[in-house]
Short mmCIF file of all heavy atoms in Angstrom, two decimals:
data_model
loop_
_atom_site.label_atom_id
_atom_site.label_comp_id
_atom_site.label_asym_id
_atom_site.label_seq_id
_atom_site.Cartn_x
_atom_site.Cartn_y
_atom_site.Cartn_z
N ILE A 463 4.70 10.18 0.07
CA ILE A 463 5.33 10.89 -1.06
C ILE A 463 6.14 12.03 -0.47
O ILE A 463 5.60 12.84 0.30
CB ILE A 463 4.28 11.45 -2.05
CG1 ILE A 463 3.41 10.33 -2.62
CG2 ILE A 463 4.97 12.20 -3.18
CD1 ILE A 463 2.24 10.82 -3.48
N GLU A 464 7.43 12.08 -0.79
CA GLU A 464 8.28 13.16 -0.26
C GLU A 464 8.02 14.44 -1.06
O GLU A 464 8.70 14.73 -2.04
CB GLU A 464 9.75 12.78 -0.37
CG GLU A 464 10.17 11.67 0.55
CD GLU A 464 11.63 11.31 0.36
OE1 GLU A 464 12.49 12.13 0.74
OE2 GLU A 464 11.90 10.25 -0.20
N LEU A 465 7.02 15.18 -0.63
CA LEU A 465 6.56 16.33 -1.41
C LEU A 465 7.60 17.42 -1.59
O LEU A 465 7.59 18.14 -2.59
CB LEU A 465 5.30 16.92 -0.76
CG LEU A 465 4.04 16.07 -0.89
CD1 LEU A 465 2.88 16.75 -0.19
CD2 LEU A 465 3.71 15.78 -2.34
N LYS A 467 10.53 17.12 -2.46
CA LYS A 467 11.37 16.82 -3.62
C LYS A 467 10.55 16.68 -4.90
O LYS A 467 11.07 16.38 -5.96
CB LYS A 467 12.14 15.52 -3.39
CG LYS A 467 13.12 15.57 -2.23
CD LYS A 467 13.84 14.24 -2.12
CE LYS A 467 14.64 14.17 -0.84
NZ LYS A 467 15.07 12.79 -0.55
N CYS A 468 9.23 16.86 -4.81
CA CYS A 468 8.33 16.62 -5.94
C CYS A 468 8.39 17.77 -6.94
O CYS A 468 8.39 18.93 -6.57
CB CYS A 468 6.91 16.45 -5.41
SG CYS A 468 5.69 16.20 -6.70
N THR A 469 8.43 17.40 -8.23
CA THR A 469 8.45 18.40 -9.30
C THR A 469 7.04 18.72 -9.80
O THR A 469 6.87 19.60 -10.63
CB THR A 469 9.28 17.90 -10.49
OG1 THR A 469 8.66 16.70 -10.99
CG2 THR A 469 10.72 17.61 -10.09
N GLY A 470 6.04 17.95 -9.34
CA GLY A 470 4.67 18.18 -9.78
C GLY A 470 4.39 17.70 -11.19
O GLY A 470 3.45 18.18 -11.83
N CYS A 471 5.16 16.72 -11.66
CA CYS A 471 4.99 16.25 -13.04
C CYS A 471 3.65 15.54 -13.26
O CYS A 471 3.16 15.47 -14.38
CB CYS A 471 6.14 15.33 -13.44
SG CYS A 471 6.13 13.75 -12.58
N GLY A 472 3.08 14.94 -12.21
CA GLY A 472 1.76 14.31 -12.32
C GLY A 472 1.77 12.88 -12.83
O GLY A 472 0.72 12.28 -13.02
N ILE A 473 2.96 12.31 -13.04
CA ILE A 473 3.03 10.95 -13.58
C ILE A 473 2.38 9.94 -12.62
O ILE A 473 1.68 9.03 -13.05
CB ILE A 473 4.50 10.56 -13.88
CG1 ILE A 473 5.01 11.38 -15.06
CG2 ILE A 473 4.64 9.07 -14.15
CD1 ILE A 473 6.48 11.22 -15.37
N CYS A 474 2.59 10.12 -11.32
CA CYS A 474 2.02 9.18 -10.34
C CYS A 474 0.50 9.16 -10.44
O CYS A 474 -0.12 8.11 -10.31
CB CYS A 474 2.48 9.54 -8.94
SG CYS A 474 2.17 11.25 -8.48
N ASP A 475 -0.09 10.30 -10.68
CA ASP A 475 -1.54 10.40 -10.84
C ASP A 475 -1.98 9.65 -12.10
O ASP A 475 -2.92 8.86 -12.08
CB ASP A 475 -1.93 11.88 -10.91
CG ASP A 475 -3.42 12.10 -11.04
OD1 ASP A 475 -4.19 11.12 -11.01
OD2 ASP A 475 -3.84 13.26 -11.18
N ILE A 483 -4.16 8.62 -6.29
CA ILE A 483 -3.40 9.87 -6.21
C ILE A 483 -4.06 10.94 -7.07
O ILE A 483 -4.39 10.69 -8.23
CB ILE A 483 -1.95 9.64 -6.67
CG1 ILE A 483 -1.29 8.54 -5.84
CG2 ILE A 483 -1.14 10.93 -6.60
CD1 ILE A 483 0.04 8.06 -6.36
N MET A 485 -3.71 15.12 -8.28
CA MET A 485 -2.92 16.35 -8.29
C MET A 485 -3.84 17.49 -7.86
O MET A 485 -4.90 17.71 -8.45
CB MET A 485 -2.35 16.63 -9.68
CG MET A 485 -1.40 15.57 -10.20
SD MET A 485 0.05 15.30 -9.16
CE MET A 485 0.97 16.81 -9.48
N LEU A 502 0.55 22.52 -8.43
CA LEU A 502 -0.07 21.20 -8.31
C LEU A 502 0.90 20.21 -7.69
O LEU A 502 2.04 20.08 -8.13
CB LEU A 502 -0.51 20.70 -9.70
CG LEU A 502 -1.71 21.42 -10.33
CD1 LEU A 502 -1.99 20.85 -11.71
CD2 LEU A 502 -2.95 21.29 -9.45
N LEU A 503 0.43 19.53 -6.65
CA LEU A 503 1.23 18.49 -6.00
C LEU A 503 0.33 17.27 -5.76
O LEU A 503 -0.89 17.42 -5.61
CB LEU A 503 1.78 19.00 -4.67
CG LEU A 503 2.94 20.00 -4.75
CD1 LEU A 503 3.27 20.54 -3.37
CD2 LEU A 503 4.17 19.40 -5.39
N PRO A 504 0.93 16.09 -5.69
CA PRO A 504 0.11 14.89 -5.51
C PRO A 504 -0.41 14.76 -4.08
O PRO A 504 0.30 15.05 -3.12
CB PRO A 504 1.09 13.75 -5.85
CG PRO A 504 2.43 14.32 -5.63
CD PRO A 504 2.35 15.80 -5.87
N CYS A 518 3.21 3.79 -9.19
CA CYS A 518 3.61 5.16 -8.82
C CYS A 518 5.06 5.19 -8.37
O CYS A 518 5.82 6.10 -8.72
CB CYS A 518 2.68 5.71 -7.74
SG CYS A 518 2.50 4.64 -6.31
N PHE A 521 7.37 4.52 -11.62
CA PHE A 521 7.41 5.54 -12.67
C PHE A 521 7.76 6.93 -12.18
O PHE A 521 8.04 7.81 -13.00
CB PHE A 521 6.07 5.58 -13.41
CG PHE A 521 5.86 4.40 -14.32
CD1 PHE A 521 5.03 3.35 -13.95
CD2 PHE A 521 6.52 4.32 -15.54
CE1 PHE A 521 4.85 2.25 -14.77
CE2 PHE A 521 6.35 3.23 -16.38
CZ PHE A 521 5.52 2.19 -15.99
N CYS A 522 7.78 7.17 -10.89
CA CYS A 522 8.13 8.52 -10.41
C CYS A 522 9.59 8.80 -10.77
O CYS A 522 10.50 8.11 -10.32
CB CYS A 522 7.95 8.61 -8.89
SG CYS A 522 8.59 10.17 -8.24
N PRO A 523 9.84 9.84 -11.58
CA PRO A 523 11.21 10.13 -12.00
C PRO A 523 12.11 10.58 -10.86
O PRO A 523 13.33 10.49 -10.97
CB PRO A 523 11.05 11.25 -13.04
CG PRO A 523 9.64 11.67 -13.03
CD PRO A 523 8.85 10.74 -12.17
N GLU A 524 11.53 11.03 -9.77
CA GLU A 524 12.33 11.51 -8.63
C GLU A 524 12.54 10.42 -7.57
O GLU A 524 13.25 10.63 -6.59
CB GLU A 524 11.66 12.72 -7.98
CG GLU A 524 11.34 13.87 -8.94
CD GLU A 524 12.57 14.39 -9.65
OE1 GLU A 524 13.61 14.52 -8.99
OE2 GLU A 524 12.49 14.63 -10.87
N HIS A 525 11.88 9.27 -7.74
CA HIS A 525 11.99 8.15 -6.78
C HIS A 525 11.64 8.58 -5.36
O HIS A 525 12.37 8.31 -4.40
CB HIS A 525 13.40 7.55 -6.82
CG HIS A 525 13.86 7.21 -8.21
ND1 HIS A 525 13.29 6.20 -8.94
CD2 HIS A 525 14.78 7.79 -9.00
CE1 HIS A 525 13.87 6.15 -10.13
NE2 HIS A 525 14.78 7.11 -10.20
N ILE A 526 10.52 9.23 -5.22
CA ILE A 526 10.13 9.77 -3.91
C ILE A 526 8.81 9.18 -3.42
O ILE A 526 8.31 9.61 -2.39
CB ILE A 526 10.02 11.31 -3.97
CG1 ILE A 526 9.04 11.76 -5.05
CG2 ILE A 526 11.38 11.94 -4.15
CD1 ILE A 526 8.77 13.25 -5.04
N VAL A 527 8.27 8.21 -4.16
CA VAL A 527 7.03 7.57 -3.72
C VAL A 527 7.38 6.26 -3.03
O VAL A 527 8.17 5.46 -3.55
CB VAL A 527 6.06 7.31 -4.89
CG1 VAL A 527 4.74 6.72 -4.38
CG2 VAL A 527 5.79 8.59 -5.67
S1 SF4 B 1024 5.62 11.24 -10.21
FE1 SF4 B 1024 6.96 11.83 -8.49
S2 SF4 B 1024 7.74 13.85 -9.05
FE2 SF4 B 1024 5.97 13.45 -10.37
S3 SF4 B 1024 4.20 14.37 -9.27
FE3 SF4 B 1024 4.33 12.21 -8.65
S4 SF4 B 1024 5.58 12.21 -6.77
FE4 SF4 B 1024 5.92 14.19 -7.80
#
Side-chain angles (χ1 to χ4, degrees):
I463 301 173
E464 291 178 70
L465 289 179
K467 297 181 190 166
C468 178
T469 61
C471 70
I473 291 173
C474 53
D475 181 3
I483 303 170
M485 298 301 288
L502 289 178
L503 286 173
C518 53
F521 287 103
C522 172
E524 306 302 318
H525 309 291
I526 56 173
V527 183

